[in-house]
Amino acid sequence: MDKIMIEKARSHFMRASEEFGFTFISPYLLDEENGITAFGYISGYGSYYGVVLNLIEPPNYEINKEIAAICDKKHMWYTFLNVELLVGEYNSYYFQDLLEDWRTFSHCDTNDRYVSLHDCKSKRAYFEYGVLGFEFIDGFWITPEHPESHLDTLVKTDFSRVEYELLDGDEYDVNVFVFEKNILGQTVKKEWSVQKLVDSINNEEVVVEFLYQYVDGMSRIVECWLWSDRKPYSRECVLKISAREVQYHWNRILEDRVW
């Protein structure tokens, strides 16, 4: 694989990042200590830690096992792409299909009785296209009633995601109430915008821990805790969400992680 092919593939990914609005880093320093570099990296896709990209070429389609091993150790999703598909004319549909595939989970449940978010913590969230989403690097709980589970207790999934498809798709479908102590030691309720909550999570200012959900038709109340490294270290939070549907996305049950 020569440098011209690599640069052509890189230019196509840069163009796609502008078209589809994702962050692309190339080359990507995967292991700083040993100076190991991958072709590229895209955040927000594939896994909580994003997706690492490397190129392969025919006829052997040899993968870099060292890069694969590092990604496995770091719990990063990785893929090896045929460089021949990236050196011709720019193909918007090729990248659209890639991004859709990398957002795909093998399971999608809409039944709350199959999933529990209790004690699950999210460090990444998004609010876009009428959907409020939270990602869980350590997964969420699958109940014994789920057809995929043969255990009689709750069991964790791998990396997972919950998406609330909002009733009208607007910010007024979500009310965020945060309870804090004032200088007199009194508990006061403050209302945040949904965007403030999302930004606070993604900027690593808070981690949201889900506790209980109460569902009534298309309305639900979610009790949470907001944890931070600075004072106040913890705050009670209540989300009031109007949603047409809630989707729980996940891939595998981790049978050694039972309740």
Side-chain angles (χ1 to χ4, degrees), residues 63-131:
I63 69 169
N64 186 317
K65 294 181 180 179
E66 190 174 34
I67 286 179
I70 294 171
C71 290
D72 284 336
K73 186 177 180 179
K74 293 186 174 185
H75 305 290
M76 299 179 78
W77 199 78
Y78 60 91
T79 186
F80 291 87
L81 303 172
N82 183 354
V83 70
E84 287 197 341
L85 300 177
L86 289 161
V87 294
E89 293 297 318
Y90 174 76
N91 186 342
S92 178
Y93 294 108
Y94 172 84
F95 289 97
Q96 183 177 352
D97 288 343
L98 279 185
L99 297 177
E100 288 177 357
D101 286 344
W102 293 343
R103 277 192 179 273
T104 299
F105 289 80
S106 60
H107 291 82
C108 177
D109 292 310
T110 58
N111 191 333
D112 290 297
R113 70 189 291 261
Y114 288 152
V115 176
S116 173
L117 301 180
H118 187 69
D119 287 346
C120 298
K121 294 181 179 180
S122 175
K123 298 180 181 179
R124 184 176 183 275
Y126 50 91
F127 174 53
E128 57 187 15
Y129 307 116
V131 172

Side-chain angles (χ1 to χ4, degrees), residues 32-66:
E32 185 173 359
E33 183 178 348
N34 296 301
I36 298 173
T37 301
F39 165 71
Y41 168 81
I42 296 176
S43 64
Y45 287 84
S47 72
Y48 181 87
Y49 290 115
V51 55
V52 175
L53 312 174
N54 224 43
L55 302 175
I56 54 176
E57 63 178 335
N60 297 325
Y61 298 103
E62 241 181 89
I63 69 169
N64 186 317
K65 294 181 180 179
E66 190 174 34

Side-chain angles (χ1 to χ4, degrees), residues 16-23 45:
S17 70
E18 296 174 0
E19 180 178 357
F20 295 101
F22 60 84
T23 300
Y45 287 84

Side-chain angles (χ1 to χ4, degrees), residues 16-246:
S17 70
E18 296 174 0
E19 180 178 357
F20 295 101
F22 60 84
T23 300
F24 175 62
I25 301 172
S26 181
Y28 178 66
L29 184 58
L30 182 62
D31 185 339
E32 185 173 359
E33 183 178 348
N34 296 301
I36 298 173
T37 301
F39 165 71
Y41 168 81
I42 296 176
S43 64
Y45 287 84
S47 72
Y48 181 87
Y49 290 115
V51 55
V52 175
L53 312 174
N54 224 43
L55 302 175
I56 54 176
E57 63 178 335
N60 297 325
Y61 298 103
E62 241 181 89
I63 69 169
N64 186 317
K65 294 181 180 179
E66 190 174 34
I67 286 179
I70 294 171
C71 290
D72 284 336
K73 186 177 180 179
K74 293 186 174 185
H75 305 290
M76 299 179 78
W77 199 78
Y78 60 91
T79 186
F80 291 87
L81 303 172
N82 183 354
V83 70
E84 287 197 341
L85 300 177
L86 289 161
V87 294
E89 293 297 318
Y90 174 76
N91 186 342
S92 178
Y93 294 108
Y94 172 84
F95 289 97
Q96 183 177 352
D97 288 343
L98 279 185
L99 297 177
E100 288 177 357
D101 286 344
W102 293 343
R103 277 192 179 273
T104 299
F105 289 80
S106 60
H107 291 82
C108 177
D109 292 310
T110 58
N111 191 333
D112 290 297
R113 70 189 291 261
Y114 288 152
V115 176
S116 173
L117 301 180
H118 187 69
D119 287 346
C120 298
K121 294 181 179 180
S122 175
K123 298 180 181 179
R124 184 176 183 275
Y126 50 91
F127 174 53
E128 57 187 15
Y129 307 116
V131 172
L132 173 62
F134 298 92
E135 295 186 346
F136 302 88
I137 185 173
D138 291 322
F140 47 53
W141 299 103
I142 295 296
T143 67
E145 292 81 15
H146 198 288
E148 294 286 328
S149 177
H150 60 271
L151 302 173
D152 58 1
T153 186
L154 293 169
V155 62
K156 268 287 182 76
T157 68
D158 56 0
F159 169 71
S160 59
R161 177 182 296 153
V162 59
E163 293 186 330
Y164 298 92
E165 184 183 337
L166 302 180
L167 186 60
D168 292 318
D170 212 328
E171 60 182 11
Y172 55 71
D173 288 324
V174 184
N175 297 112
V176 181
F177 300 108
V178 178
F179 297 84
E180 300 180 357
K181 297 281 188 180
N182 62 16
I183 58 174
L184 301 177
Q186 301 168 321
T187 300
V188 295
K189 181 175 71 173
K190 296 185 177 180
E191 185 167 6
W192 288 13
S193 69
V194 64
Q195 194 60 55
K196 179 178 179 179
L197 175 66
V198 168
D199 290 344
S200 297
I201 294 170
N202 293 337
N203 293 335
E204 300 182 353
E205 296 170 10
V206 300
V207 173
V208 58
E209 179 182 4
F210 287 71
L211 297 178
Y212 303 100
Q213 288 195 94
Y214 306 95
V215 183
D216 181 12
M218 288 187 286
S219 299
R220 63 183 60 219
I221 295 175
V222 184
E223 295 182 358
C224 312
W225 280 101
L226 300 181
W227 298 96
S228 61
D229 295 330
R230 299 179 297 180
K231 291 184 178 180
Y233 298 109
S234 63
R235 285 166 284 183
E236 185 181 353
C237 176
V238 173
L239 309 180
K240 294 185 177 180
I241 304 173
S242 297
R244 298 176 183 275
E245 185 177 73
V246 181

